Structure formats: C-alpha cells, structure tokens
Amino acid sequence: MFNFTIIRSSSAISEIHCDVLNGLALVSFKNGNVYAYSNVSRRAMLNLKYNTNISLGFWVNNNLLGYDSQVNVANLSDLSFNQIQQFCNA
C-alpha cells in the first residue's frame, strides 16, 4: 500500500512510482526523462492511487511541478532507490 506504481493512458507520462512513507514520487515520461520528486503530499499520492479518474498529467502539474524538490535522474536503472532518495534529500 505504501509503495505503488500508477500506469494509465497518458500522452506524456509512462508511469509514476510513489513511496508514500517517504513522500517520494518518480515520474517516467514517454520522452525518456525520469524525474524524482521529494516532499510530495502523501494525501495527493493516495488520492492518485484510489481515484482512477485523475489524469496523470493533471496530477503532475498540480502536485509536482513548480516545486524545488525535483531531480533529473538520467539512468534510473543505474541507481538504487536509496540513492535516488539521497539525491532528493540533498
């Protein structure tokens, strides 16, 4: 329940990985970019999970963009989840 991945139809976003306990969201865009966001609202992440009508793009625009808590992760497969958390907390 506290770690989950959301995959829905979206023109820009492939998937969103959420870690509710740590307030961390990883957003994979269809253009290949992956961004890690820290200090994400836990309520917003749970709302995304249980409200299947929320557009991924709408959710990202309203809950993640505009904050100084993002890190561009070049090769997500080369990093462990703990390393990504350290980047976000730096």
Side-chain angles (χ1 to χ4, degrees):
M1 175 178 158
F2 297 111
N3 293 318
F4 54 88
T5 301
I6 301 294
I7 301 172
R8 295 186 190 148
S9 177
S10 173
S11 60
I13 299 170
S14 298
E15 57 192 22
I16 299 174
H17 305 277
C18 295
D19 177 353
V20 177
L21 288 179
N22 294 305
L24 181 66
L26 300 174
V27 181
S28 299
F29 290 89
K30 290 191 175 179
N31 65 5
N33 291 333
V34 178
Y35 288 90
Y37 296 86
S38 60
N39 301 317
V40 178
S41 165
R42 285 135 178 99
R43 182 178 295 174
M45 286 190 275
L46 291 173
N47 189 31
L48 176 66
K49 178 177 182 173
Y50 293 111
N51 188 347
T52 58
N53 293 327
I54 295 177
S55 155
L56 295 183
F58 176 83
W59 188 85
V60 167
N61 285 331
N62 285 313
N63 294 287
L64 303 180
L65 298 184
Y67 296 99
D68 293 332
S69 61
Q70 75 179 19
V71 175
N72 189 353
V73 182
N75 288 316
L76 186 62
S77 60
D78 294 340
L79 300 173
S80 70
F81 190 75
N82 289 335
Q83 289 171 315
I84 294 168
Q85 283 182 303
Q86 289 173 359
F87 281 125
C88 290
N89 294 327

